[in-house]
Amino acid sequence: MSNPLRLDRRVAELMHCSRGEAQQYVEGGWVSVDGLIVDKAQTMITAQLVEIADDAKLAALEPATILLHKPSGVGMAAVPTLTTPATRAEDDRATGMRMLDRHFQRLTPLMPLDDEASGLVVLSQDGRIWRRLTEDYSAIEQEFVVEVSGELAPYGMARLAHGLRYQGRMLQPCKVSWQNEIRLRFALKDVQPGQLRAMCRQVGLEVVAMRRIRIGRIPLSRLAAGEWRYLPVGVKF
């Protein structure tokens, strides 16, 4: 049996390149061991078959950002556990973007969403996305569809749009309209936990269900609950 050897060292031998370049090939998902992609350069091998993809290229490793349709009843802390290869949306698989093990590590959930709400959640490894969605949170418009019950108080729509208070502060003006007989559509900024439920209660309505369908320029699209898709690098919120 051959002596154990680090995978990146074996790739360096095969590609006649430096160890640093070999590590990039491995971490870029271009290397397979006995037919399975391995993206950890420190993996020890012996007599296994190591192959490098014909279209392998050296490129900077970009951090991943994932858009998830969070189901209702799931807390933000549990959201990263929903992002697995099995829950990737079928049409996103067809894009050709290869998702590697490293893309699912250290994903930070951003733009908080109430536990009982469903809808769009952003998870990212990208510091640029993290800063945009935290430092500029109050300036980014979010859109929600809210199912309600009860009887709307007089001037209720006008009050929802402007004039309500929450947790001791006057709320920013927002856009609100009826989507149908039981659903309201809100577009608003600087949304705080519990705010939409409290707003509806102040005008005689109770929230039955709530779904976030847009963050900035990014829509939920056709993601089913529990599914996710990859957000290409450079797409702006």
Side-chain angles (χ1 to χ4, degrees):
M1 186 174 76
S2 303
N3 292 326
L5 186 71
R6 275 180 58 119
L7 180 57
D8 57 349
R9 183 172 176 182
R10 178 59 179 149
V11 171
E13 293 174 352
L14 293 172
M15 297 294 288
H16 305 290
C17 64
S18 69
R19 287 279 293 277
E21 290 173 330
Q23 184 174 342
Q24 279 188 267
Y25 281 122
V26 175
E27 293 179 350
W30 302 110
V31 178
S32 61
V33 177
D34 284 347
L36 297 175
I37 293 175
V38 177
D39 61 0
K40 294 179 176 59
Q42 70 272 23
T43 300
M44 302 302 293
I45 59 168
T46 51
Q48 296 100 315
L49 175 64
V50 176
E51 297 177 294
I52 294 88
D54 293 338
D55 57 344
K57 55 180 180 251
L58 292 174
L61 298 176
E62 294 286 357
T65 298
I66 284 174
L67 305 176
L68 170 76
H69 184 165
K70 183 185 87 67
S72 61
V74 176
M76 289 293 286
V79 159
T81 65
L82 303 180
T83 57
T84 68
T87 56
R88 187 178 187 183
E90 191 62 37
D91 60 352
D92 197 58
R93 301 173 194 267
T95 63
M97 171 62 194
R98 299 171 312 127
M99 297 298 292
L100 308 172
D101 286 346
R102 64 179 179 81
H103 289 133
F104 300 101
Q105 298 168 6
R106 296 183 297 280
L107 283 169
T108 300
L110 303 166
M111 303 294 286
L113 186 62
D114 292 356
D115 290 0
E116 66 272 17
S118 65
L120 181 60
V121 168
V122 180
L123 302 99
S124 186
Q125 303 168 332
D126 193 333
R128 296 163 296 187
I129 298 293
W130 188 90
R131 285 189 294 275
R132 166 67 174 150
L133 298 187
T134 53
E135 295 176 5
D136 298 335
Y137 178 83
S138 62
I140 299 173
E141 188 174 77
Q142 303 178 50
E143 191 169 355
F144 293 81
V145 172
V146 181
E147 182 178 338
V148 295
S149 65
E151 185 174 346
L152 184 66
Y155 308 106
M157 291 296 283
R159 293 179 62 205
L160 285 171
H162 188 209
L164 296 181
R165 302 179 67 87
Y166 179 62
Q167 294 184 339
R169 69 184 182 101
M170 182 65 71
L171 296 175
Q172 294 185 38
C174 70
K175 292 172 277 189
V176 58
S177 60
W178 285 106
Q179 187 179 50
N180 57 32
E181 294 83 355
I182 61 170
R183 291 187 179 90
L184 288 165
R185 198 172 184 122
F186 288 87
L188 65 174
K189 299 177 181 179
D190 199 19
V191 189
Q192 301 302 311
Q195 177 181 322
L196 283 170
R197 191 173 296 275
M199 289 173 67
C200 290
R201 191 173 292 128
Q202 289 181 54
V203 295
L205 301 174
E206 289 296 326
V207 171
V208 176
M210 184 189 319
R211 184 170 79 252
R212 181 162 62 190
I213 60 173
R214 178 173 60 84
I215 296 174
R217 301 184 183 96
I218 306 299
L220 177 63
S221 297
R222 292 179 293 178
L223 285 175
E227 288 186 338
W228 61 268
R229 65 183 175 91
Y230 176 79
L231 184 70
V233 174
V235 175
K236 294 183 179 180
F237 284 87

